Amino acid sequence: MPAEDFMNRFVLLLLLFSLAVQAQAAKPTVADAEEFMKQAEARLTELQVKTNRASWVQENFITDDTQALAADAVDQITGATTELAEQAKRFDGLQLPPALARKFMLLRLSLVAPGPKDPALRKEMTTIAASLDGDYGKGKYCRKPDDCLDITAIERLMTTSHDPKELQDVWLGWHKVGAPMRDRYARFVELSNQGAREMGFQDTGAMWRSNYDMAPDQFSAELERLWQQVRPLYMSLHTYVRARLSRRYGPDVVPPNGPLRADLLGNPWAQQWDNIYPLLGVPEKTASFEVTDLLKAKNLDAKGMVKYGEGFFTSLGFAPLPSTFWERSLFTKPQDRDVVCHASAWDIDNQDDLRVKMCIQVRGVDFVTLHHELGHNFYQRAYKNQPLLFENGANDGFHEAIGDAVALAITPEYLHKVGLLEKVPAGEDDIPQLLKQALDRVAFLPFGLIIDQWRWKVFSGEIKPADYNKAWWDLRLKYEGIAPPVPRSETDFDPGAKYHVPGNVPYTRYFLAHILEFQFYRALCQASGYKGPLNRCTFYGSKEAGAKFNKMLEMGQSKPWPDALYALTGERQMDAGAMLEYFAPLQKWLDEQNKSKQVGWKVSQ
């Protein structure tokens, strides 16, 4: 071999050897992944606190400046999360310890609105998001120049009025809030989808459905399974309510075989029907009472109502809320400014700066809502010692179900124990109370599905912007048997009149919560040693139930949700069996009332 060829081959071998060494050195290790995640969580913790503070100010002091500040903070954390998720791809294929692998998965799924990599486009998206949230918070219906109703006043009016013309007028007035959002929302969808695709998802909806420890299609099938479990109960309730309202308002207003009118159900969104219970004419063998009357008899103010909610949790063994909670929360609507009145619970610093933001009215429904919101706060504090990416509910349905399970325990026995009710009513007739609960929880179930059913189709492109409103009402008719009081068109944007759409808050969590709350409730009743009909149980004061509760809560999102569910219930599957057990006496009664009546609804052409 000529010396020149030998040298060339020798140099080539040295080069190949050098490249192999460099490649081996560049290959990431588990230690590299651990260090990356440590730094990522530290960076995200700092940005999350800043975002929480900016968002709190923006929702409590709605101005162009606060919207800009909130949008900037959201843009920063969105950009950082997007950047970190991109950098994390270099660890793909590396065999990681289970806890660390879970953190990488959750990092990728942590954005509700994944922003595009392009900073200008991401900034555009977060600015739109802040403006939509602000528009909802500032929304009003002015019947006259000096008679303007915000959503709190509208809810109050629709709770008490039974005049179809007035209800229709107010319903239409509030739903005008959505129309100006329509084009911006369509652009927001485009930008969010771009961010989701750049992160490797088909669209934003597919990204949301990936956050349940199963494949997106599997999760969709799970939702359908749960819906089919509860659908017969909903259909029985719908049939009964329609017959009673048709008798009340006449067949021209409520056709006996048609859908229900959305403005007649005691709520701006027809999502819960408990406010129309007095219209149903149910005879009560047991002495009845209204929680609203009990609260007013005690001369309670908003803060006093919150104290009762805190007392339920402390009776289970949880520590009282920190003093800052009482100093920094918003309990009543200020007279001097616009705020986002939609009730929400906040964990500002991932430690002890817990808050509630709610325009509380002294009424039974708000008493229940407070227990729900405090459930978030006590959950947040229970998992505060987890790493950042595990500081969340086992799935988002868990977070919503905690306070709801407690709210189920607001029984006459509980009200008596805390001094609100002088005497537990005697009698064996549970139907009135079960019907009130069903008008709240069962009526909600299809509504809990359709918001994200609509959004997922919007994100996927199956629903085009030109059909936003038609598709919204098609879904509401299909699942709920509910129709608008007057024909709607594509000049309207009725999804925008529900906070969670302009606020970009995933909604399937609420459907899941209404299933899970009964599973949690039954397990907590069993832990407390209760024996008897499930609907009469309160586990108030049971330290045994509290200890079991806390065992699940402190896990946060550190394990797949079936593990957390098992820790409390001994079950690994979400199941409506506990809900059906709770409402079994009512189901039997409804079926007797509905004999000879058509179940379901005809659609007029």
Side-chain angles (χ1 to χ4, degrees):
M1 178 184 296
E4 186 177 346
D5 288 348
F6 177 81
M7 288 301 297
N8 286 340
R9 289 194 176 188
F10 180 70
V11 170
L12 179 61
L13 287 171
L14 282 175
L15 179 60
L16 290 173
F17 178 76
S18 175
L19 291 172
V21 170
Q22 290 177 34
Q24 187 64 30
K27 186 177 180 181
T29 65
V30 172
D32 293 333
E34 290 174 338
E35 180 60 26
F36 170 85
M37 186 54 66
K38 179 181 176 181
Q39 294 182 16
E41 287 190 299
R43 182 181 176 191
L44 291 174
T45 296
E46 181 181 353
L47 289 172
Q48 190 176 90
V49 173
K50 289 181 179 179
T51 303
N52 290 342
R53 294 191 189 285
S55 298
W56 174 267
V57 172
Q58 183 261 321
E59 292 208 356
N60 284 277
F61 300 86
I62 303 174
T63 68
D64 291 342
D65 291 329
T66 59
Q67 285 183 195
L69 291 170
D72 185 60
V74 172
D75 180 64
Q76 288 184 44
I77 196 168
T78 301
T81 306
T82 303
E83 175 189 327
L84 290 167
E86 185 68 24
Q87 292 173 2
K89 289 180 180 178
R90 69 189 181 97
F91 300 105
D92 289 352
L94 185 62
Q95 192 70 31
L96 299 172
L100 185 58
R102 185 167 181 79
K103 285 186 179 182
F104 274 91
M105 178 192 73
L106 294 174
L107 172 64
R108 189 165 171 255
L109 293 168
S110 60
L111 288 173
V112 175
K117 294 178 185 177
D118 184 319
L121 294 178
R122 190 176 65 243
K123 180 67 175 177
E124 180 187 359
M125 187 193 78
T126 54
T127 300
I128 290 173
S131 73
L132 292 171
D133 186 83
D135 281 3
Y136 184 92
K138 292 182 289 188
K140 291 182 177 66
Y141 168 47
C142 294
R143 296 186 285 192
K144 298 177 181 177
D146 59 346
D147 181 21
C148 291
L149 305 175
D150 61 15
I151 188 57
T152 302
I154 286 169
E155 284 191 83
R156 188 185 304 118
L157 188 152
M158 296 192 77
T159 296
T160 56
S161 175
H162 306 308
D163 178 349
K165 290 184 178 179
E166 181 179 41
L167 290 170
Q168 177 177 306
D169 175 70
V170 172
W171 188 94
L172 290 170
W174 173 249
H175 279 72
K176 290 177 182 177
V177 74
M181 303 177 185
R182 186 187 183 101
D183 292 341
R184 278 174 293 152
Y185 186 78
R187 179 58 176 161
F188 173 83
V189 168
E190 290 179 11
L191 294 168
S192 179
N193 272 343
Q194 181 175 333
R197 289 170 185 141
E198 289 172 356
M199 293 182 70
F201 296 94
Q202 185 175 347
D203 55 61
T204 300
M207 183 176 178
W208 288 6
R209 295 193 301 278
S210 298
N211 212 358
Y212 293 91
D213 296 303
M214 60 180 71
D217 290 346
Q218 185 184 357
F219 179 63
S220 295
E222 183 73 353
L223 289 178
E224 182 63 21
R225 179 185 68 80
L226 292 169
W227 168 238
Q228 291 305 323
Q229 276 191 284
V230 297
R231 185 175 180 273
L233 177 57
Y234 175 80
M235 297 297 285
S236 294
L237 181 67
H238 183 283
T239 302
Y240 174 77
V241 168
R242 180 179 58 195
R244 292 289 174 155
L245 291 184
S246 185
R247 182 187 303 176
R248 166 84 185 200
Y249 292 116
D252 292 340
V253 176
V254 182
N257 295 324
L260 292 168
R261 236 175 72 173
D263 58 332
L264 299 179
L265 295 166
N267 176 278
W269 310 280
Q271 67 182 57
Q272 288 147 315
W273 310 344
D274 47 314
N275 289 323
I276 65 165
Y277 174 80
L279 304 184
L280 303 183
V282 180
E284 299 195 20
K285 299 174 185 176
T286 302
S288 63
F289 60 88
E290 289 294 334
V291 175
T292 299
D293 296 337
L294 300 179
L295 299 171
K296 290 182 176 179
K298 287 287 185 181
N299 293 317
L300 287 176
D301 59 8
K303 188 174 181 180
M305 288 173 62
V306 183
K307 283 287 186 182
Y308 277 99
E310 179 194 40
F312 198 113
F313 287 92
T314 56
S315 83
L316 302 179
F318 293 93
L321 291 162
S323 59
T324 52
F325 171 87
W326 303 101
E327 297 162 2
R328 299 171 184 173
S329 290
L330 178 79
F331 296 141
T332 56
K333 188 181 187 307
Q335 298 301 309
D336 61 343
R337 65 182 191 272
D338 291 320
V339 301
V340 176
C341 271
H342 180 81
S344 54
W346 296 65
D347 178 10
I348 299 295
D349 64 355
N350 302 321
Q351 285 297 311
D352 292 307
D353 191 352
L354 305 170
R355 308 179 191 180
V356 158
K357 179 183 62 59
M358 181 177 172
C359 301
I360 298 170
Q361 301 176 59
V362 180
R363 55 181 184 167
V365 65
D366 285 27
F367 190 70
V368 172
T369 300
L370 282 168
H371 285 74
H372 171 93
E373 297 304 333
L374 291 179
H376 290 299
N377 287 143
F378 280 93
Y379 201 174
Q380 288 159 342
R381 189 167 61 179
Y383 57 58
K384 72 176 183 178
N385 293 324
Q386 292 283 357
L388 176 72
L389 287 168
F390 294 158
E391 289 182 338
N392 208 341
N395 69 38
D396 53 9
F398 276 61
H399 232 305
E400 300 300 332
I402 299 305
D404 284 346
V406 170
L408 283 173
I410 301 176
T411 61
E413 181 69 24
Y414 161 67
L415 296 171
H416 173 65
K417 285 183 176 181
V418 298
L420 285 172
L421 184 62
E422 184 175 341
K423 185 179 179 181
V424 177
E428 298 298 323
D429 185 9
D430 289 345
I431 295 303
Q433 278 302 119
L434 283 171
L435 181 57
K436 291 174 187 177
Q437 287 281 32
L439 292 168
D440 180 3
R441 286 166 162 82
V442 177
F444 175 83
L445 290 168
F447 185 82
L449 277 179
I450 67 103
I451 290 184
D452 281 350
Q453 295 290 330
W454 178 82
R455 271 192 294 205
W456 294 344
K457 294 178 190 302
V458 166
F459 284 130
S460 73
E462 183 178 340
I463 295 175
K464 309 294 185 188
D467 297 316
Y468 275 173
N469 225 46
K470 179 182 183 301
W472 172 259
W473 286 107
D474 285 349
L475 283 168
R476 297 208 67 178
L477 183 62
K478 174 184 175 182
Y479 281 93
E480 297 178 272
I482 285 178
V486 299
R488 308 298 280 163
S489 74
E490 294 306 325
T491 61
D492 304 305
F493 183 55
D494 293 329
K498 177 60 182 170
Y499 168 75
H500 298 75
V501 174
N504 197 46
V505 179
Y507 209 77
T508 300
R509 61 182 64 177
Y510 301 101
F511 173 80
L512 296 178
H514 278 57
I515 303 297
L516 286 166
E517 66 177 281
F518 288 89
Q519 280 187 276
F520 294 172
Y521 173 70
R522 182 169 64 181
L524 290 164
C525 288
Q526 292 169 347
S528 73
Y530 171 80
K531 307 291 183 184
L534 185 57
N535 61 285
R536 297 185 192 175
C537 164
T538 185
F539 48 86
Y540 172 82
S542 172
K543 299 297 191 292
E544 294 79 10
K548 200 163 189 180
F549 212 5
N550 190 60
K551 184 178 179 181
M552 180 183 77
L553 301 184
E554 65 185 8
M555 292 170 67
Q557 204 172 10
S558 63
K559 301 286 185 183
W561 64 259
D563 293 349
L565 182 63
Y566 185 81
L568 176 60
T569 68
E571 301 167 311
R572 291 189 174 275
Q573 184 181 52
M574 292 183 285
D575 184 76
M579 172 183 256
L580 298 178
E581 177 186 343
Y582 183 96
F583 285 113
L586 179 68
Q587 175 77 74
K588 180 181 178 181
W589 182 84
L590 287 171
D591 290 344
E592 291 171 354
Q593 305 301 309
N594 291 337
K595 285 179 181 177
S596 77
K597 295 183 177 67
Q598 176 183 312
V599 177
W601 44 87
K602 292 181 179 178
V603 181
S604 59
Q605 300 297 323

